[in-house]
Amino acid sequence: MSEKILVVDDERAIADLIEVYLKNEGYEVYKFGNAKDALDCVEREHPSLAVLDVMLPDMDGFELCRRIREKYLFPIIMLTAKVQDMDKITGLTLGADDYMTKPFNPLELTARVRTQLRRYIRYNTNGMPREEEQEIDIRGLYIARTSHTVTLNGEALNLTPLEFEILWYLCRNRGKVVSSEELFEAVWKEKYLDSNNTVMAHIGNIREKMKEPARKPKFIKTVWGVGYTIE
């Protein structure tokens, strides 16, 4: 069965272009020009991934992303004509997994869709190799690789696949300071750029879900100028 992809963009030409490329890859595409119809589709069809434009007529893509994240963990890729870092951080903090600015290469978008789906499917199935079957418990923070679950003092944390990977990597390397570059390349499998704020945004999102105080976090600590650590 082909994966279902939700595409939300009020620029018809762009939405049609994305649809053509995704269908050529064998995906089933649900295409909408507004947030309301997109939310109805999410409830009805349960897509495997969403591509959301930021500028929509009835609700901006950031708010749409936030509403989807209230119930669903499937990957979300944001599209926008804005290039400011704060726009990127906003989207990632609200739960987006990736971010592309317009104009974009549809082949690159298609590649990113494949990457996000592979990661999501891999960590939401039981077909994981035995060497991955590990569990870590750090002062009440319990993370299980096999079931892809995280609990803090018995309370489940609703992490996205990327957030889980970041936390797992930090927990696996507890006691060591992990640089943003190392963390990004280990999780995203891409070359890190000096201006990349992706790691910072996702760390902030994980801390918020853990209800960690910004100034004195108990678990994920920032070593300024170096990286992050879990002691």
Side-chain angles (χ1 to χ4, degrees):
M1 184 176 66
S2 62
E3 301 293 339
K4 298 178 180 179
I5 310 296
L6 173 66
V7 176
V8 189
D9 197 314
D10 64 340
E11 294 186 64
R12 185 60 181 268
I14 293 178
D16 289 347
L17 179 66
I18 296 172
E19 180 183 31
V20 168
Y21 275 82
L22 292 178
K23 282 189 171 181
N24 284 343
E25 292 292 318
Y27 298 122
E28 186 176 349
V29 178
Y30 294 83
K31 181 178 59 177
F32 300 96
N34 64 79
K36 180 181 181 303
D37 290 342
L39 286 171
D40 290 342
C41 177
V42 169
E43 294 289 338
R44 183 177 64 253
E45 300 294 340
H46 304 290
S48 303
L49 181 145
V51 179
L52 310 180
D53 184 33
V54 170
M55 302 300 292
L56 297 171
D58 55 341
M59 178 192 307
D60 69 48
F62 294 140
E63 176 63 15
L64 176 56
C65 176
R66 187 191 67 79
R67 293 198 185 188
I68 290 174
R69 277 290 174 259
E70 288 177 353
K71 295 177 63 175
Y72 300 97
L73 292 175
F74 57 76
I76 295 175
I77 299 175
M78 303 294 296
L79 297 177
T80 182
K82 299 180 180 180
V83 297
Q84 291 89 343
D85 282 346
M86 276 311 301
D87 292 322
K88 182 171 184 177
I89 292 172
T90 298
L92 294 173
T93 301
L94 290 171
D97 298 279
D98 204 352
Y99 188 102
M100 292 190 70
T101 55
K102 298 177 180 178
F104 58 88
N105 184 332
L107 290 174
E108 182 183 354
L109 174 61
T110 303
R112 294 195 186 195
V113 167
R114 285 197 301 267
T115 298
Q116 292 295 336
L117 283 174
R118 279 199 303 268
R119 182 182 291 121
Y120 180 67
I121 293 169
R122 179 183 180 190
Y123 296 117
N124 285 275
T125 64
N126 293 323
M128 299 182 67
R130 291 192 60 83
E131 60 265 27
E132 297 278 8
E133 295 181 2
Q134 302 177 51
E135 300 175 356
I136 298 174
D137 193 339
I138 303 174
R139 304 190 308 278
L141 174 63
Y142 171 80
I143 180 167
R145 186 79 164 173
T146 49
S147 59
H148 201 247
T149 57
V150 183
T151 60
L152 180 57
N153 298 324
E155 182 178 348
L157 298 182
N158 196 26
L159 301 186
T160 68
L162 275 175
E163 291 165 356
F164 179 92
E165 279 300 291
I166 291 169
L167 186 59
W168 174 262
Y169 194 84
L170 290 173
C171 287
R172 194 181 67 187
N173 291 279
R174 59 192 179 278
K176 170 188 173 183
V177 179
V178 179
S179 68
S180 295
E181 178 179 1
E182 177 185 345
L183 193 54
F184 183 87
E185 294 183 355
V187 174
W188 276 264
K189 311 298 182 185
E190 297 177 10
K191 185 66 178 175
Y192 179 82
L193 301 176
D194 290 340
S195 60
N196 198 321
N197 290 304
T198 303
V199 172
M200 180 179 67
H202 279 83
I203 291 289
N205 212 29
I206 296 169
R207 283 172 170 163
E208 183 176 349
K209 291 181 178 181
M210 295 174 69
K211 298 178 181 178
E212 286 265 75
R215 293 185 178 276
K216 292 185 177 181
K218 180 180 178 182
F219 291 98
I220 304 176
K221 298 183 178 180
T222 300
V223 181
W224 295 109
V226 184
Y228 303 94
T229 185
I230 291 183
E231 297 176 347

